[in-house]
Amino acid sequence: MLYSNWIKKRYEPVSRDDLSSFISARLNVFYEEELDVPLVVFDDVLEHVLRIDNVLRHPMGHMLLVGESGVGKTVLTRFVAWINGLSVFQIKANRNYSLDQFDEDLRILMRRVAVDNEKICFIFDESNVLSSAFLERMNALLASGEVPGLFEGDELVQLLSSCRDSFSQRDGHLLEMDRSLNYFMLLI
């Protein structure tokens, strides 16, 4: 049984045929607007799309998609993010890409989410793993919501101040200054 809120705007069971025709129609628009990558809609695609959608709807949702390279994991994730109105953030690693550049990309990503309140799907695929240090940082981010040492000193104080100001503007109240960065990262 498949559940979705795409068709009736309520999370409820949907038939495979209705969901398949909805996703096929959305894929056609996605091809035109975003990527020119053809996908064939079959039962496994429907189930994968709904699983990805379920994870992206949860706060701090994250998942590991395992499979051969080129089978469509990234494209399906981009598609579901597009349907849900999320921006996609994916690093552009090359042979000269360093750990410092990765840390700077993570800082930019976290500022966009925490300060600008942007809803983002961060895609980190196998082509981005240039050393084990990249995986260590991703593991820390997923396990605790932060990367140790990513923000320090004045940069940390500025980030906390920006987060507090942004959060108070969104919800109409101020937070105490003694809140830690962990609190703010849990809001992501």
Side-chain angles (χ1 to χ4, degrees):
M1 192 173 276
L2 303 174
Y3 285 82
S4 175
N5 66 346
W6 286 335
I7 297 173
K8 296 184 182 178
K9 304 301 178 205
R10 289 188 317 260
Y11 194 72
E12 60 185 31
V14 294
S15 72
R16 283 192 187 277
D17 294 337
D18 291 344
L19 186 61
S20 180
S21 62
F22 173 82
I23 288 178
S24 294
R26 298 302 294 161
L27 273 172
N28 289 334
V29 177
F30 180 69
Y31 295 154
E32 294 171 5
E33 291 183 9
E34 297 293 319
L35 299 173
D36 190 23
V37 178
L39 284 177
V40 178
V41 178
F42 53 94
D43 288 346
D44 286 345
V45 168
L46 295 177
E47 292 171 10
H48 289 311
V49 163
L50 291 179
R51 283 188 199 107
I52 294 168
D53 178 58
N54 187 19
V55 170
L56 291 181
R57 290 180 181 278
H58 285 83
M60 290 186 63
H62 57 275
M63 68 186 313
L64 174 66
L65 298 175
V66 179
E68 292 181 31
S69 183
V71 296
K73 300 178 300 287
T74 302
V75 173
L76 280 181
T77 303
R78 285 178 165 277
F79 172 66
V80 174
W82 175 79
I83 284 180
N84 290 321
L86 301 174
S87 301
V88 174
F89 187 91
Q90 189 170 11
I91 61 173
K92 307 218 180 352
N94 56 42
R95 63 184 176 100
N96 296 326
Y97 191 76
S98 68
L99 199 55
D100 290 335
Q101 290 170 312
F102 182 64
D103 286 347
E104 185 57 33
D105 282 342
L106 287 178
R107 285 185 198 99
I108 291 168
L109 174 67
M110 290 185 168
R111 281 188 196 104
R112 285 174 57 189
V113 171
V115 177
D116 300 336
N117 196 29
E118 189 175 346
K119 297 187 183 319
I120 297 177
C121 173
F122 177 36
I123 297 176
F124 184 77
D125 65 15
E126 67 271 7
S127 67
N128 302 133
V129 182
L130 301 178
S131 75
S132 61
F134 288 76
L135 290 176
E136 290 171 13
R137 281 174 168 63
M138 289 307 301
N139 186 47
L141 181 63
L142 294 174
S144 67
E146 67 177 304
V147 177
L150 192 62
F151 293 98
E152 293 179 334
D154 292 339
E155 193 175 31
L156 177 62
V157 171
Q158 180 186 11
L159 176 66
L160 289 173
S161 176
S162 297
C163 286
R164 186 187 70 238
D165 294 343
S166 175
F167 188 73
S168 67
Q169 290 173 1
R170 286 192 300 250
D171 294 330
H173 63 279
L174 288 174
L175 297 175
E176 300 88 36
M177 278 300 289
D178 62 346
R179 301 287 180 148
S180 70
L181 183 61
N182 284 339
Y183 179 81
F184 291 106
M185 290 303 132
L186 289 175
L187 296 175
I188 294 174

